[in-house]
Amino acid sequence: MVENVLWPAYFDAGLTRSEGRRVPRDLAVDEPTVDEIADAVQQVGYDAVIEREKTYSREFDPRGRVLVKGADDSKNDLVQAIGAYVELLRE
């Protein structure tokens, strides 16, 4: 079973690409939470597991991460789809 890791930094509009953002700025949101990311993962149709105590390697404060289980898509496609849903959840 494939397991992908999604960090809030991937979707954070306040970060640059070199700081860890992986979606275009128009899909990014300000300070995304692991709960929002997990909700978006479930909207796409995959199971999400939240690990709140984890820290992204390019950050100092722990914001957690979301594990996506059983995703058949490439990681880039998955990140783009989740980014679109996180943005929709914020509207």
Side-chain angles (χ1 to χ4, degrees), residues 2 76 79:
V2 177
N76 187 50
V79 167

Side-chain angles (χ1 to χ4, degrees), residues 20-56:
R21 183 174 46 84
R22 289 184 128 185
V23 297
R25 226 180 255 288
D26 62 334
L27 292 181
V29 296
D30 290 324
E31 298 182 10
T33 65
V34 289
D35 295 315
E36 290 174 321
I37 296 168
D39 288 344
V41 168
Q42 291 170 346
Q43 290 290 325
V44 173
Y46 297 117
D47 294 328
V49 176
I50 297 174
E51 294 183 335
R52 296 185 189 280
E53 72 283 352
K54 300 295 183 180
T55 304
Y56 185 50

Side-chain angles (χ1 to χ4, degrees), residues 2 12-13 16 24 31 47 55 66-67 70-71 75 80:
V2 177
D12 197 332
T16 64
E31 298 182 10
D47 294 328
T55 304
V66 177
L67 300 177
K75 184 161 185 176
Q80 300 303 315

